[in-house]
Amino acid sequence: MAKTVLGIIGGSGIYEFSGLDDARWERVKSPWGEASDEILFGRFRASILLFLPRHGRGHIQSPTSITTAPISMR
């Protein structure tokens, strides 16, 4: 059976999730450049949850400073 993975790109102020087990922040490499912050990994009930604060924790990235690149979905 496949595991459910839920990925969230969120807004300002959401940096903790009630009920998230095994939570850890981790920097990941991407072929599209550096992300705005580390990604929060954890388990929520039967699902794996990954969360990226779009403007960084503490809203340190302005909307114009965030890298946007076309994504090829193959």
Side-chain angles (χ1 to χ4, degrees):
M1 178 192 244
K3 290 201 174 227
T4 300
V5 178
L6 176 62
I8 302 170
I9 300 174
S12 301
I14 303 173
Y15 311 122
E16 295 182 22
F17 293 84
S18 179
L20 188 64
D21 296 320
D22 301 327
R24 72 187 187 286
W25 290 94
E26 190 175 311
R27 181 140 322 263
V28 297
K29 292 185 178 184
S30 163
W32 299 282
E34 191 171 341
S36 56
D37 201 338
E38 295 177 322
I39 295 178
L40 176 62
F41 289 79
R43 287 183 303 107
F44 183 75
R45 298 183 183 167
S47 299
I48 297 169
L49 184 135
L50 291 85
F51 172 75
L52 172 66
R54 178 157 170 74
H55 297 284
R57 285 173 279 179
H59 204 279
I60 58 172
Q61 301 282 340
S62 71
T64 57
S65 71
I66 296 172
T67 303
T68 56
I71 297 174
S72 173
M73 302 296 280
R74 295 182 199 203

